[in-house]
Amino acid sequence: MRESLKNKAYRNLSRRILSGELVPGEFINRRQVATELNMSPAPVLEAMILLETEGLLETIPRKGTRVRIHRMEEIKGHFLIREALECQVSRAVFGTPVNDNFTELAELASRVDEAREKNQMRLWEAE
């Protein structure tokens, strides 16, 4: 089964964005991309619209479409969500073993903290 032109353009652009070949703030000329991929601009435009809905591109009226520049607040928000999800997964997977061994784990953590306070980096690095 042949890949659609839109999917080919999407795959090409997303790879270039995620690899850093196209950097945040860089404008993308859909006609140029179409020429590079040997297709009409229509499937490139469809791919760019999809990438915009996914947050990788943004269209600026009367200027064009560029690789989206992410703001610090957005990045912090993503990390907060990631932290919450990872904590929930950890509780779901390791909750019982941690609870069952809490006393021993707390003692180990205390020893690591003491070693760090005494500047025993060898033990800290081993941990």
Side-chain angles (χ1 to χ4, degrees), residues 63-81:
K63 289 201 177 205
T65 302
R66 69 179 185 180
V67 178
R68 187 162 179 237
I69 299 171
H70 295 278
R71 293 163 196 59
M72 187 56 70
E73 297 80 29
E74 295 174 62
I75 294 168
K76 286 179 183 177
H78 289 297
F79 278 114
L80 286 172
I81 292 169

Side-chain angles (χ1 to χ4, degrees), residues 81-96:
I81 292 169
R82 180 177 174 174
E83 179 184 19
L85 290 172
E86 288 177 357
C87 288
Q88 288 297 333
V89 169
S90 294
R91 283 186 201 100
V93 174
F94 300 109
T96 301

Side-chain angles (χ1 to χ4, degrees), residues 47-67:
M48 290 171 74
I49 291 169
L50 183 55
L51 289 164
E52 187 171 3
T53 63
E54 293 177 352
L56 293 175
L57 296 178
E58 62 184 347
T59 299
I60 300 172
R62 294 183 290 284
K63 289 201 177 205
T65 302
R66 69 179 185 180
V67 178

Side-chain angles (χ1 to χ4, degrees), residues 110-122:
S110 176
R111 287 179 25 206
V112 168
D113 290 342
E114 288 172 16
R116 192 169 108 193
E117 289 172 8
K118 293 177 183 176
N119 200 22
Q120 296 177 357
M121 289 306 291
R122 181 180 55 81

